[in-house]
Amino acid sequence: MSILIDESKKVIVQGITGREGSARAKLMLDYGTRIVGGCTPGRGGQEVHGLPVFDSVAEAAAKLGPIDVSVIFVPAPRVKSAAVEAIEAGVPLIALIADRVPLYDVLEICEVADGCGAKFVGPNTVGVMSPEKAVLGMMGGRAETAREWFHKGPVGIMSRSGGLSASTGYYICQTGIGISTICHVGGDAVIGLTFPEIALLFEDDPETEMIVMIGEIGGSQEEQVADLLESGKITKPLVAYVGGRAAQSGTRYSHAGAIIEGGRGTWAGKVERLQMAGATLVEQFGDIAETVQQLRQQASSFQ
């Protein structure tokens, strides 16, 4: 298994006739993702990379059967309508790639998704990858490099940073240890699937033996994961890195959601909370892969 995406899931690309949608659809296809078609209003009947294009998600579902995932490559102001269209057409998982999606649009997407039992990753995400199975979004850049950099294995990665998502996977794979799934949850203040939800999916995934979390200042996702560790709902070893150690209160640290407000979401508070809950904290990003390797070796020595 893996989480969220594998080679069996039927995927469509909304915005497939645009430059980004077309280029990323090719990456996903070449990597092995089961892309079955795309949607662009007014472009129905065309083909992109040999895939049929439909005017709507409902039309695609009627012709292709139930769709498991839609990856949305449309400009930020059009993300809400595209996401709602996919959810109302019965697609259970959506990936919102665009950044700068208006906050109130995301809140509306949350409400519609909750009402329909759907989930979404992002916005402002580079996507999700289950190595040697499938990729959603743009992780890896090109299929050839993605195959070279990542291989499957027992470590699940969740991250609020797109760049560090792939980098963490790359360096862990360089040690010979592979990855079950990499999930970039997105860097905005309001997102779909959060760290606690992804951590619980990894906990239930038999392929994942260890979780790596790339957090940062702002919000409370890291503290919520600490709560899950403390309550025993997460039992797998968790290695955590929290970015933004030097950030001052009121200063945004790169991502929209990475800001300390009213003394909440500080680096020190997150680190203390995670350490108290039993996570292994890494102060330098470059130490993550070595720490994962050491914990794996320690675990094997007790078996």
Side-chain angles (χ1 to χ4, degrees):
M1 286 178 63
S2 49
I3 68 167
L4 299 175
I5 184 63
D6 59 33
E7 66 276 32
S8 70
K9 298 288 196 308
K10 288 171 64 177
V11 179
I12 61 167
V13 178
Q14 289 176 258
I16 193 171
T17 56
R19 183 187 63 183
E20 282 297 309
S22 174
R24 305 308 180 181
K26 187 169 191 322
L27 158 68
M28 292 186 275
L29 268 176
D30 290 347
Y31 192 74
T33 308
R34 191 182 174 195
I35 307 285
V36 294
C39 295
T40 300
R43 301 291 186 90
Q46 297 183 5
E47 286 191 354
V48 174
H49 308 307
L51 297 166
V53 178
F54 302 92
D55 287 319
S56 69
V57 179
E59 184 185 356
K63 296 284 179 58
L64 302 171
I67 307 298
D68 297 308
V69 186
S70 178
V71 186
I72 298 179
F73 283 99
V74 302
R78 290 165 48 197
V79 164
K80 182 182 75 174
S81 61
V84 169
E85 178 192 348
I87 293 167
E88 291 182 342
V91 180
L93 178 63
I94 318 292
L96 309 179
I97 307 301
D99 63 358
R100 299 182 184 277
V101 178
L103 177 61
Y104 285 98
D105 286 2
V106 182
L107 292 172
E108 287 189 49
I109 296 169
C110 288
E111 185 175 7
V112 175
D114 286 346
C116 295
K119 303 292 184 185
F120 64 95
V121 180
N124 192 14
T125 174
V126 298
V128 182
M129 170 182 282
S130 296
E132 301 182 36
K133 296 180 179 177
V135 61
L136 301 175
M138 58 183 75
M139 200 174 291
R142 294 187 303 131
E144 294 80 6
T145 53
R147 288 195 197 92
E148 180 182 343
W149 291 347
F150 309 111
H151 58 87
K152 63 182 178 182
V155 180
I157 299 171
M158 54 186 185
S159 173
R160 291 171 63 184
S161 164
L164 295 186
S165 300
S167 298
T168 304
Y170 171 81
Y171 286 116
I172 290 175
C173 286
Q174 287 295 300
T175 70
I177 302 169
I179 306 299
S180 58
T181 298
I182 306 171
C183 179
H184 175 216
V185 298
D188 286 0
V190 177
I191 57 174
L193 287 167
T194 61
F195 275 169
E197 292 170 293
I198 299 298
L200 288 171
L201 292 176
F202 278 136
E203 176 71 15
D204 289 338
D205 177 30
E207 278 190 7
T208 301
E209 298 174 11
M210 181 183 297
I211 302 168
V212 172
M213 178 172 71
I214 311 297
E216 59 189 14
I217 60 168
S220 61
Q221 293 185 67
E222 294 80 2
E223 290 88 338
Q224 292 173 55
V225 171
D227 291 343
L228 292 174
L229 283 168
E230 213 162 51
S231 67
K233 293 179 179 176
I234 299 296
T235 61
K236 295 178 179 178
L238 187 140
V239 176
Y241 167 80
V242 180
R245 182 175 187 175
Q248 301 295 314
S249 179
T251 302
R252 184 162 282 111
Y253 179 70
S254 181
H255 302 122
I259 185 168
I260 302 168
E261 296 175 300
R264 294 174 299 179
T266 65
W267 182 89
K270 288 176 184 291
V271 167
E272 181 181 6
R273 186 74 191 87
L274 286 162
Q275 285 178 324
M276 287 177 61
T280 300
L281 267 294
V282 176
E283 288 202 10
Q284 302 295 325
F285 171 76
D287 293 336
I288 294 173
E290 184 179 350
T291 301
V292 168
Q293 193 173 31
Q294 289 173 349
L295 290 177
R296 291 271 300 161
Q297 289 170 347
Q298 289 172 12
S300 63
S301 69
F302 288 111
Q303 293 177 349

